[in-house]
Amino acid sequence: MFETLLIANRGEIACRIARTARRMGLRTVAVYSDADREALHVALCDTAVRIGAPEAARSYLDATAIVAAARAAGAQAIHPGYGFLSESLALIDACEAAGLIFVGPSRDAIQRMGSKIESKRIALDAGVPVVPGYHADDQDPAVLQAAADGIGYPVLIKASAGGGGKGMRVVRSAAEFAAALATVRREAKASFGDDRVLLERYLDEPRHLEVQLLGDKHGHLVHLFERECSIQRNHQKVIEEAPAPHLPPAVRETLFAHALTMGRAIGYDSTGTIEFIHDSRSGDSFFLEMNTRLQVEHPVTELTVGIDLVEWQLRVAAGEPLGFAQPDLSQRGCAIEARVCAENPAAGFAPEIGALIGYHEPRGEGVRVDSGVRSGSQVTPYYDSMLAKVIAHADDRPTAARRLAAALDDTVLLGVHSNLGFLADLLRHDHFAQVLSTHYIERAFPAGWQPRADEGLAIAAAAVHGVLTQQAAAGRSAWQSLGAWRATGAGSGTGSTQVLLEDEQRCVHEVSVSPQGDSWRVHVGDLELNLAATLVGDTLALQRDGLTVRFTVALEQHATQGERVWLAGPGSTWAWRRLDRWQRALKGAAGADDERGGNRLLAPMPGLVTQVQISVGMTVNAGDTLVQMEAMKMVHTLSAPAAGRVSELRCRVGDAVRGGDVLVIMEAMESEEKQ
């Protein structure tokens, strides 16, 4: 066994690999970009080496820099994790040239399975069925159109070198084919440098099933049973589980046989996954692709089989034979995994960036968390939005689902919005007990998902929290320490505090909080609530009608956007900007200006401010460039909507901004000034 391992990745998978490596007594080396200098994976490893700029192409995708880091740190092996360079021939070649061990399968296996066209040819030669389609080399549009017509619609166009849901389009008629083909080719060329495509018959009720393989360099190969990965959004997995529910034993055994046949056909010698598409209507299963690396969803296999896959990756890479054979393996219970991402499901799954100002992981029997973040971690626009995975294991599927949903409810993630509530609702939906398909999400929430939580109660909680924190800060009654809060009412002691909270749609909620003995009377619009409140640390407990609801609260101070209060409660997360009466008056005046033509430049989406080409007092014309920002891996130029003078600048180069944040405020110019 080698002594020092470099982990060529970041986030939760880098942390997960580091924990197993250290348990095995290995010295660990992290690599990091400038954006990840303070990241959790850096802190968990024995040493760390900078490899470049924040952009992945200049750091985590730079095989030369990673190999140089390994040599400088004295590492003998490199584990690539998943994503980035995990299936990169360039990294394998660089490792071989430097005398380093690549923790993964052979170069030949990665090369042969890296092309969806080539992998399907191997499957057909081995007698493994594939989805009826076109997998040939001739990429002439007319040939592809004719092939699609022959397959029959709907047909799926897929990038040959694709993955992660990129470069895929469903075409439902011949008239749509040419435009869809052009789009897929553009996406494939931009994402993978290869615009070749294949065509497949589109299955209307597909299940996405996969089989975990593990082989060594001595010719041993076993399967570690199957996983269900049908709950997807835009062809990307959301929830995975093992074993697959409602799967006939004969189908299960067929999948195992096909997976082993594929692995033996290429002499597979590491961890890998054979993915299948299963037609629920016909009962047929087809080879889809092979992932020649560790999968995101590997924990559900580990928990049900009792094997640490990362440990065996390392042992196999060091030349050790497998310590078990197929008869030694069995499954125990059920495990379900949910991918926790920085995104806002209530806003069309818009990506989120910012600092995590509050983060608490759930605990409980059978609950596991693989995380790459902690309080203070930065969620940047440079990398994937997945922050953590929450996994639950139990003797049966219903118990595992309940445990996981409860664990998601208990997870606190403040500073960015996340999909925690959405994931919990997926698990609790009636459809989850039925046979799954890749259409699960759209059928569970045909009108889109919205939080199940009580927003009125959450607004009341934020207002009460403001009063209680003012009271605690001054060490005296709330009425003596209101600061910017406005108290109104008679002098008899029955006065109320008016709290102003601006939501992310720029709507201001005016909340009245009045003392009522040992409790509070709170008015939110037409809603009246009588609440008892207790604030301990960051936990606010509200009692209402004999029931207690707990919220976790955190405050975020922004240099230009002011104070924002974040609340995590049952089923959702909220954020409001706190205003005082002077800010409200100014906002009202600004709002009038907005109606006369708009004087605010807003960030169209979350991103990073890369250029600011103006200063306060500068006069600009309509169409002049004010700010540039990078979002969704593209540069966006934000221009002045009308002529005016810059009265306020609320962003700086390097700021991570959210969608809707005010970046610039303009003063309208008088007509004589414009001339």
Side-chain angles (χ1 to χ4, degrees):
M1 177 61 69
F2 39 82
E3 296 180 352
T4 303
L5 174 72
L6 182 137
I7 304 167
N9 217 296
R10 64 177 303 278
E12 66 86 17
I13 188 57
C15 296
R16 187 262 172 275
I17 294 167
R19 292 186 177 102
T20 286
R22 297 198 69 180
R23 178 177 58 77
M24 295 174 65
L26 303 181
R27 179 173 170 266
T28 54
V29 180
V31 293
Y32 65 89
S33 71
D34 290 338
D36 278 344
R37 187 178 299 274
E38 304 298 327
L40 181 59
H41 76 277
V42 174
L44 286 181
C45 290
D46 296 298
T47 189
V49 181
R50 177 189 177 273
I51 53 170
E55 296 83 3
R58 301 169 61 192
S59 51
Y60 297 106
L61 290 172
D62 188 339
T64 301
I66 286 171
V67 169
R71 299 184 67 177
Q76 298 92 39
I78 293 178
H79 194 310
Y82 48 69
F84 291 136
L85 295 174
S86 60
E87 295 173 288
S88 165
L89 301 181
L91 179 59
I92 295 174
D93 292 341
C95 285
E96 183 178 358
L100 299 171
I101 296 171
F102 175 80
V103 180
S106 67
R107 186 186 197 281
D108 180 65
I110 290 179
Q111 184 175 35
R112 296 178 73 187
M113 291 293 106
S115 165
K116 287 182 172 61
I117 292 176
E118 176 65 17
S119 67
K120 283 179 169 55
R121 288 175 181 164
I122 293 171
L124 289 170
D125 290 344
V128 176
V130 302
V131 180
Y134 177 84
H135 316 120
D137 289 326
D138 192 337
Q139 296 284 301
D140 182 87
V143 172
L144 293 169
Q145 176 85 60
D149 294 342
I151 294 167
Y153 297 93
V155 68
L156 183 65
I157 308 176
K158 297 174 67 174
S160 175
K166 296 179 182 177
M168 297 176 67
R169 286 293 186 282
V170 177
V171 182
R172 299 192 175 276
S173 70
E176 301 171 8
F177 185 84
L181 174 64
T183 299
V184 170
R185 280 184 156 168
R186 284 196 301 270
E187 289 181 357
K189 188 69 175 178
S191 298
F192 313 112
D194 183 346
D195 66 357
R196 292 179 301 158
V197 302
L198 55 89
L199 307 178
E200 292 178 349
R201 187 179 80 199
Y202 181 73
L203 305 180
D204 283 319
E205 289 297 328
R207 294 177 71 177
H208 189 120
L209 305 172
E210 59 189 35
V211 177
Q212 177 72 61
L213 293 182
L214 177 59
D216 63 21
K217 302 186 185 303
H218 304 277
H220 304 119
L221 182 71
V222 297
H223 72 76
L224 301 180
F225 307 97
E226 87 286 359
R227 297 185 288 251
E228 171 100 48
C229 304
S230 296
I231 299 182
Q232 302 180 4
R233 190 181 69 81
N234 293 340
H235 306 291
Q236 293 184 309
K237 299 168 188 174
V238 176
I239 289 177
E240 306 99 347
E241 61 181 300
H246 310 296
L247 192 64
V251 174
R252 182 175 281 110
E253 293 301 323
T254 298
L255 295 181
F256 297 159
H258 287 336
L260 290 170
T261 296
M262 288 294 297
R264 291 176 182 134
I266 58 173
Y268 202 71
D269 58 355
S270 184
T271 56
T273 300
I274 307 292
E275 303 203 356
F276 297 92
I277 198 81
H278 177 74
D279 189 341
S280 296
R281 291 178 174 171
S282 69
D284 296 328
S285 298
F286 305 100
F287 169 76
L288 189 63
E289 63 183 358
M290 183 177 189
N291 289 300
T292 52
R293 53 171 168 78
L294 196 67
Q295 291 275 93
V296 175
E297 57 270 26
H298 75 273
V300 297
T301 294
E302 293 183 325
L303 290 171
T304 52
V305 180
I307 287 178
D308 186 325
L309 285 172
V310 171
E311 176 180 348
W312 278 103
Q313 276 189 300
L314 298 173
R315 291 189 181 281
V316 166
E320 294 185 23
L322 295 183
F324 43 83
Q326 195 68 59
D328 301 318
L329 299 170
S330 61
Q331 285 179 301
R332 181 183 64 83
C334 175
I336 309 175
E337 172 184 288
R339 302 186 184 195
V340 179
C341 299
E343 60 187 16
N344 190 347
F349 294 90
E352 292 273 314
I353 61 172
L356 298 189
I357 59 174
Y359 178 69
H360 301 297
E361 294 179 354
R363 296 181 180 180
E365 183 179 357
V367 174
R368 164 176 164 177
V369 180
D370 285 10
S371 172
V373 295
R374 56 186 171 179
S375 289
S377 291
Q378 293 287 332
V379 181
T380 73
Y382 299 111
Y383 314 117
D384 187 83
S385 64
M386 190 173 72
L387 306 180
K389 302 178 303 195
V390 182
I391 313 103
H393 180 250
D395 291 338
D396 57 76
R397 186 172 185 257
T399 303
R402 287 194 300 270
R403 282 182 177 175
L404 181 53
L408 293 166
D409 283 345
D410 290 342
T411 304
V412 173
L413 207 160
L414 296 172
V416 297
H417 290 285
S418 73
N419 62 342
L420 285 166
F422 168 71
L423 294 171
D425 285 354
L426 287 176
L427 294 162
R428 291 189 170 110
H429 200 284
D430 292 343
H431 289 359
F432 191 72
Q434 302 170 13
V435 175
L436 302 178
S437 82
T438 57
H439 302 303
Y440 178 89
I441 292 176
E442 62 206 64
R443 288 179 177 161
F445 304 111
W449 178 85
Q450 289 297 320
R452 55 186 156 84
D454 185 340
E455 185 179 24
L457 182 63
I459 293 172
V464 170
H465 175 267
V467 174
L468 292 177
T469 52
Q470 288 284 337
Q471 180 178 359
R476 50 191 175 181
S477 79
W479 320 117
Q480 295 174 306
S481 57
L482 291 177
W485 308 97
R486 179 164 60 94
T488 63
S492 61
T494 59
S496 64
T497 304
Q498 304 303 311
V499 182
L500 302 176
L501 299 170
E502 182 182 60
D503 64 25
E504 292 170 303
Q505 286 71 48
R506 309 297 165 183
C507 176
V508 176
H509 302 271
E510 185 165 347
V511 187
S512 171
V513 182
S514 307
Q516 192 174 35
D518 294 332
S519 62
W520 306 90
R521 185 168 62 249
V522 183
H523 287 89
V524 182
D526 295 332
L527 178 66
E528 179 178 321
L529 301 168
N530 291 304
L531 305 169
T534 305
L535 179 62
V536 179
D538 61 358
T539 300
L540 175 67
L542 296 183
Q543 288 187 345
R544 176 192 182 191
D545 299 330
L547 298 176
T548 299
V549 180
R550 289 180 174 83
F551 297 89
T552 302
V553 191
L555 300 179
E556 178 186 19
Q557 301 293 338
H558 193 284
T560 57
Q561 304 295 336
E563 182 182 73
R564 184 174 294 180
V565 56
W566 283 84
L567 232 68
S572 193
T573 300
W574 299 266
W576 297 276
R577 181 181 172 219
R578 284 181 172 166
L579 305 175
D580 60 30
R581 56 178 172 171
W582 307 114
Q583 290 172 314
R584 174 62 182 270
L586 290 172
K587 178 179 175 60
D593 289 341
D594 288 342
E595 292 176 0
R596 287 195 295 267
N599 68 342
R600 294 187 172 200
L601 183 71
L602 307 182
M605 63 186 70
L608 198 71
V609 176
T610 55
Q611 288 187 33
V612 177
Q613 300 187 9
I614 53 173
S615 58
V616 173
M618 181 180 293
T619 299
V620 298
N621 296 313
D624 285 354
T625 297
L626 307 184
V627 175
Q628 281 192 346
M629 59 183 289
E630 182 178 298
M632 305 297 288
K633 299 181 180 180
M634 297 180 65
V635 175
H636 299 263
T637 298
L638 309 183
S639 304
R645 181 180 291 108
V646 178
S647 62
E648 192 173 344
L649 187 57
R650 292 191 180 180
C651 65
R652 296 171 294 189
V653 172
D655 278 356
V657 297
R658 296 182 174 86
D661 276 357
V662 178
L663 305 181
V664 182
I665 296 179
M666 306 281 293
E667 287 180 351
M669 295 174 61
E670 299 298 332
S671 56
E672 58 267 21
E673 292 182 278
K674 297 177 185 178
Q675 297 174 354

